[in-house]
Amino acid sequence: MQKFKEHSDAKRYKHHVNDLARDIRTNGQLTPLTVVAAEEGGSYHLASGADQAHFVPTCYWLVDGHHRLEALKKIGSDAVQVEVVPGKGFADALDAARLANQQVVQSLSPLERTENAWTALNLERDTYRRMSVKTAAATFSVSETTIKRFRDAVRQEGIQSRKIEPKAPRDKVEQQLQAYWNRKSTWGRFSIMPWHVLKRARREPNNPISAGAEKHRIKMEIAQLLFGEEGRHDLKLVVAALIDMGREAERPDGAAYLESKYKPKIYQPVTTDDDAAESDHVDYHQLGLEVARMRAEEVESREPGDF
């Protein structure tokens, strides 16, 4: 499904750029690209009569109009209309890009808007974190419920890490949330974690693992144990052994049979080629049970008068 989605997105992107190229070739570029000045390569100049120097950029960040730029390249245009918006540097470019969605011809999907809002709330600067729920929802074109879920998720994380009081007074709730969220260890961790991943991780403790998932995990553990150490076992023999165990497991008493046949026995020395005994891990519990059983059998087998 991921490969299909990537192919579908690439196909949609190609068609969109082709449509823009035809429109620009016919009607010209009607909408300028939006750029923000980059700090790299620029310099400060003091104009005549000015009391302070102004920054003259030589490079710009493209924040809106990536498809239009590709269309202009496609038709071989050597000039482009741009609009320079206030700001300087990568952080301001990110802010401008997030606020330019209303002019995007190919609008974001609801999931993309949600992920966009979550990423913005976990930037180093706390501009969006300090916004009210209503303002943040309007800024990123998401529902107020979505913003409340973001805030609740962060608050629950803070409660679990004992950085936020679960029963804090109302006037301190927002203060503690902002203090915890502004920690680099908090927003830094969430900035690399998509919202859908965090949401799924929060649901897992309440949802039991399915039987299919549990079986898959068991098979992974078996495979990692047998194939993990390179050279420990011959791979063909490992596969043959797994096939034999599969046949044995199909017996009516498969589980009991496998347990009785392959359950670890009491310690016995392993004889090497030079007849030297190698030490191995000893199951003292099993050894004690075995000794107790042997003594019980000896007592039962005694005849009256035996010593």
Side-chain angles (χ1 to χ4, degrees):
M1 290 300 295
Q2 179 65 23
K3 290 184 179 297
F4 173 79
K5 182 179 184 301
E6 291 174 358
H7 173 74
S8 178
D9 290 345
K11 189 175 180 180
R12 183 179 61 174
Y13 170 83
K14 182 179 179 180
H15 287 171
H16 182 59
V17 171
N18 289 337
D19 291 341
L20 284 174
R22 284 192 292 268
D23 182 69
I24 293 175
R25 187 182 290 112
T26 303
N27 304 315
Q29 182 188 353
L30 302 178
T31 306
L33 310 183
T34 304
V35 298
V36 169
E39 294 178 311
E40 297 78 10
S43 59
Y44 286 88
H45 294 274
L46 182 64
S48 178
D51 56 352
Q52 62 180 3
H54 65 280
F55 182 75
V56 179
T58 57
C59 298
Y60 296 87
W61 289 104
L62 176 62
V63 299
D64 184 30
H66 294 80
H67 294 110
R68 274 166 278 159
L69 180 60
E70 290 298 322
L72 288 165
K73 291 180 180 178
K74 190 176 183 65
I75 64 176
S77 177
D78 57 356
V80 59
Q81 299 178 23
V82 298
E83 177 187 1
V84 181
V85 298
K88 182 179 67 175
F90 184 66
D92 289 339
L94 279 178
D95 288 344
R98 299 182 193 286
L99 299 177
N101 290 333
Q102 66 271 17
Q103 294 184 357
V104 177
V105 177
Q106 200 170 19
S107 60
L108 299 176
S109 66
L111 178 60
E112 290 171 332
R113 287 199 300 269
T114 300
E115 294 291 352
N116 177 59
W118 172 250
T119 303
L121 289 173
N122 289 289
L123 294 173
E124 182 175 1
R125 57 171 61 182
D126 62 348
T127 304
Y128 300 115
R129 291 194 288 271
R130 289 188 288 102
M131 286 183 176
S132 66
V133 173
K134 185 175 182 179
T135 303
T139 301
F140 301 110
S141 300
V142 297
S143 66
E144 295 183 14
T145 302
T146 299
I147 302 297
K148 291 179 180 178
R149 286 173 180 168
F150 293 164
R151 296 166 64 88
D152 181 66
V154 177
R155 184 170 183 272
Q156 293 302 322
E157 290 278 341
I159 292 175
Q160 292 178 6
S161 60
R162 298 183 179 181
K163 301 297 182 182
I164 295 179
E165 300 176 27
K167 297 182 180 180
R170 181 175 297 181
D171 58 337
K172 290 187 177 181
V173 169
E174 183 66 21
Q175 181 181 354
Q176 291 185 355
L177 174 63
Q178 292 294 333
Y180 175 71
W181 209 342
N182 285 333
R183 296 164 62 97
K184 187 175 182 179
S185 58
T186 303
W187 62 257
R189 178 164 51 90
F190 289 145
S191 65
I192 60 176
M193 180 183 297
W195 168 247
H196 71 275
V197 174
L198 177 62
K199 184 171 63 173
R200 183 171 64 246
R202 294 184 67 205
R203 287 201 306 259
E204 282 181 356
N206 300 324
N207 294 342
I209 300 176
S210 64
E214 184 67 20
K215 286 194 296 183
H216 180 71
R217 188 166 67 178
I218 293 173
K219 288 189 288 186
M220 287 184 63
E221 291 179 0
I222 294 173
Q224 290 171 4
L225 178 63
L226 295 178
F227 295 98
E229 297 184 17
E230 185 177 357
R232 181 178 180 183
H233 302 292
D234 183 88
L235 298 183
K236 293 182 179 179
L237 294 179
V238 170
V239 175
L242 291 175
I243 294 174
D244 289 342
M245 290 189 68
R247 295 195 187 100
E248 293 168 348
E250 290 178 351
R251 295 165 51 108
D253 59 338
Y257 177 80
L258 291 174
E259 183 181 9
S260 62
K261 184 175 181 179
Y262 299 108
K263 186 176 181 179
K265 307 298 183 182
I266 63 173
Y267 165 74
Q268 293 181 353
V270 179
T271 304
T272 61
D273 295 338
D274 56 357
D275 294 332
E278 292 183 349
S279 63
D280 202 350
H281 295 291
V282 180
D283 188 346
Y284 290 102
H285 176 72
Q286 186 68 23
L287 179 60
L289 294 177
E290 187 69 15
V291 172
R293 182 188 62 78
M294 294 172 62
R295 289 182 176 177
E297 290 178 353
E298 290 177 1
V299 172
E300 293 176 356
S301 63
R302 289 177 183 173
E303 295 292 337
D306 288 348
F307 295 93

